């Protein structure tokens, strides 16, 4: 186990990312000396400087001098000069998962896992526990809506952690309880077929000895948790915690929650969409299973402010509303568009940026029906996330899948983001919603289009 005692100095590579910046916050809370580096400056680095993290922009071998441990994100390769220098100096080089495992071993950890929904659900659970006085620590893999880094350390025995399945290391976390929102094919490799991903989730479920909460509406989550003692949440009669929607609008959805047949109370979720109602229900179910008061926990969700890039309203210009969302998998895309289509806009104009060549090569046929709720769709080329291009794999594959399945739909393939901005300026009309979807750098497009529509340089 990694030693994270207060005298330990930890140097973090890729410290500006959502996952590593959260680790930095927790390590500072533990009293560790923390330094870090990243390739570009950012507001996140400014926030880390404010809490005493010694941050450098750029990678240089000298920056690991004096460190006891060097930890890196999965985006940092073996050829990074700081990794090379650390190994040459005999400094232990750890993966982020090893640091996070050590942190979870210090508390009664509640992990939230799933191929989609885990970030929002983990943030919601952390918020609920804060509001009812449980004072948890937490690590959430996104910046919170108020601009703060999604992490906190506390003296409470409870620690909420978003468990990331992307590299299979979520099984290394030391957890007592877990929520599983969904299990669908993603992060596949030749050595990690669908069956292996499903087996990893099954092992994860089996490790939650003190309580497992599972979304009954998700077939993959149900299969992964089969044979485990579990509490179910969802919309069907088999659910221990059951949701019934009453009303919804552009900003929220309201419904009733029944717990094992009895009315627990009304819950207002300040995010639109049935998928977010389920995320909130999963957070509520776990809070109740942890012993929190049910009605108070349900009421606490009304003040949840959200996390960035989860149906995040980015602004308005020329009568057009702009919303940005991290959705990049077929089911996520369909859910985000369904929520958008129920908002009463004249049109939903969607821009989708595929994420990773490897993901697109496996999943492009599954996107064929994901965009049915879009009135107009623009598909861009792939955001590589550092991957090498795969011959024959581009955003055009998804364009082809959609146009063949729905030849009547208004679908355009515009590869470059600069051209996407110009295209949107031409086609958007007052009363439209412009919805940008993807996990890459498409998130900069709303601000650029807003500036052009507003006549700003």
């Amino acid at each position: 186990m990694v030693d994270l005692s207060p005298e330990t100095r930890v140097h973090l590579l890729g410290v500006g990312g959502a996952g590593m910046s959260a680790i930095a916050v927790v390590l500072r809370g533990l009293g560790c000396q923390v330094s870090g580096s990243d390739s570009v400056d950012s507001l996140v680095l400014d926030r880390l400087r404010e809490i005493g993290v010694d941050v450098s922009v750029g990678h240089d071998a000298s920056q690991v001098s004096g460190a006891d441990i060097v930890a890196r994100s999965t985006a940092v390769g073996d050829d990074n000069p700081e990794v090379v220098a650390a190994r040459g100096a005999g400094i232990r080089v750890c993966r982020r998962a090893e640091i996070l495992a050590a942190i979870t071993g210090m508390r009664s950890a509640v992990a939230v896992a799933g191929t989609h929904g885990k970030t929002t659900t983990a943030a919601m659970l952390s918020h609920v526990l804060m509001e009812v006085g449980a004072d948890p620590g937490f690590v959430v893999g996104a910046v919170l809506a108020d601009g703060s880094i999604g992490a906190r350390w506390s003296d409470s025995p409870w620690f909420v952690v978003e468990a990331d399945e992307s590299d299979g290391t979520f099984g290394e976390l030391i957890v007592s309880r877990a929520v599983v929102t969904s299990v669908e094919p993603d992060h596949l490799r030749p050595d990690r077929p669908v069956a292996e991903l499903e087996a990893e989730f099954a092992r994860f479920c089996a490790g939650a000895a003190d309580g497992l909460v599972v979304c009954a509406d998700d077939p993959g989550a149900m299969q992964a948790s089969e044979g485990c003692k579990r509490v179910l949440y969802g919309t069907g009669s088999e659910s221990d915690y059951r949701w019934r929607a009453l009303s919804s609008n552009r900003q929220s959805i309201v419904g009733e929650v029944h717990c094992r047949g009895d009315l627990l109370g009304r819950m207002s979720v300040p995010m639109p969409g049935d998928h977010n109602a389920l995320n909130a229900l999963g957070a509520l179910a776990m809070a109740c299973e942890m012993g929190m008061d049910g009605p108070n926990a349900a009421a606490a969700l009304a003040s949840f402010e959200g996390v960035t890039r989860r149906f995040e309203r980015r602004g308005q210009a020329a009568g057009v509303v702009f919303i940005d969302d991290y959705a990049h998998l077929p089911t996520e895309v369909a859910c985000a568009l369904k929520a958008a289509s129920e908002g009463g806009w004249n049109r939903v104009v969607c821009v989708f940026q595929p994420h990773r060549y490897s993901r697109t090569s496996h999943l492009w046929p599954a996107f064929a029906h994901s965009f049915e709720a879009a009135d107009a769709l623009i598909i861009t080329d792939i955001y590589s996330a550092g991957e090498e291009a795969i011959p024959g794999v581009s955003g055009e594959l998804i364009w082809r899948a959609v146009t063949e399945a729905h030849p009547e739909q208004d679908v355009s393939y515009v590869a470059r983001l600069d051209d996407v901005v110009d295209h949107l300026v031409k086609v958007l009309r007052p009363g439209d919603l412009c919805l940008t979807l993807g996990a890459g750098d498409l998130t900069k497009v709303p601000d650029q289009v807003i500036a052009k529509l507003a006549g700003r340089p």
Side-chain angles (χ1 to χ4, degrees), residues 165-313:
E165 83 289 348
S166 62
D167 59 0
T169 56
F170 69 140
E172 299 177 29
L173 303 180
I174 302 170
V175 303
S176 60
R177 297 173 181 265
V179 180
V180 179
T181 63
S182 55
V183 180
E184 291 185 355
D186 194 20
H187 303 294
L188 303 179
R189 304 183 302 268
D191 63 337
R192 195 194 195 196
V194 172
E196 176 55 29
L197 176 69
E198 293 171 345
E200 290 172 6
F201 268 102
R203 291 191 291 270
F204 175 81
C205 290
D210 295 338
L212 176 65
V213 173
V214 177
C215 182
D217 289 17
D218 187 86
M222 291 294 285
Q223 180 180 332
S225 60
E226 189 174 355
C228 299
K229 184 178 180 180
R230 62 192 181 186
V231 172
L232 302 180
Y233 69 94
T235 56
S237 59
E238 75 278 14
S239 297
D240 299 289
Y241 291 82
R242 187 176 181 185
W243 166 261
R244 184 171 75 90
L246 298 175
S247 63
S248 63
N249 56 43
R250 292 180 179 181
Q251 286 80 37
S252 65
I253 184 167
V254 178
E256 289 180 343
V257 177
H258 291 260
C259 177
R260 299 180 175 91
D262 296 327
L263 179 64
L264 186 148
R266 183 170 289 202
M267 184 169 70
S268 177
V269 183
M271 300 176 72
D274 296 331
H275 61 300
N276 282 318
L278 281 177
N279 292 336
L281 185 64
L284 174 62
M286 177 53 80
C288 291
E289 294 301 304
M290 292 167 65
M292 309 302 152
D293 179 77
N296 286 343
L301 280 158
S303 58
F304 177 67
E305 294 184 358
V307 295
T308 55
R309 303 223 60 208
R310 272 65 177 182
F311 220 78
E312 179 188 10
R313 185 176 174 119

Side-chain angles (χ1 to χ4, degrees), residues 252-410:
S252 65
I253 184 167
V254 178
E256 289 180 343
V257 177
H258 291 260
C259 177
R260 299 180 175 91
D262 296 327
L263 179 64
L264 186 148
R266 183 170 289 202
M267 184 169 70
S268 177
V269 183
M271 300 176 72
D274 296 331
H275 61 300
N276 282 318
L278 281 177
N279 292 336
L281 185 64
L284 174 62
M286 177 53 80
C288 291
E289 294 301 304
M290 292 167 65
M292 309 302 152
D293 179 77
N296 286 343
L301 280 158
S303 58
F304 177 67
E305 294 184 358
V307 295
T308 55
R309 303 223 60 208
R310 272 65 177 182
F311 220 78
E312 179 188 10
R313 185 176 174 119
R314 295 289 294 277
Q316 182 172 342
V320 180
V321 173
F322 293 81
I323 289 177
D324 187 42
D325 195 278
Y326 193 72
H328 57 281
L329 297 176
T331 299
E332 294 173 341
V333 166
C335 288
L337 274 166
K338 182 177 183 294
S341 69
E342 295 169 350
W345 283 279
N346 291 347
R347 295 187 307 164
V348 176
V349 179
C350 176
V351 187
F352 176 65
Q353 183 185 49
H355 189 259
R356 294 185 183 274
Y357 291 98
S358 57
R359 177 181 284 125
T360 304
S361 69
H362 283 109
L363 297 181
W364 67 267
F367 283 100
H369 303 289
S370 296
F371 301 94
E372 291 178 348
D375 297 294
L377 171 64
I378 299 104
I379 297 172
T380 79
D381 206 355
I382 296 167
Y383 180 79
S384 70
E387 288 186 343
E388 293 291 329
I390 299 174
V393 177
S394 72
E396 206 165 351
L397 287 175
I398 297 175
W399 172 83
R400 186 188 309 161
V402 176
T403 53
E404 289 179 358
H406 302 278
E408 76 291 346
Q409 192 168 7
D410 180 359

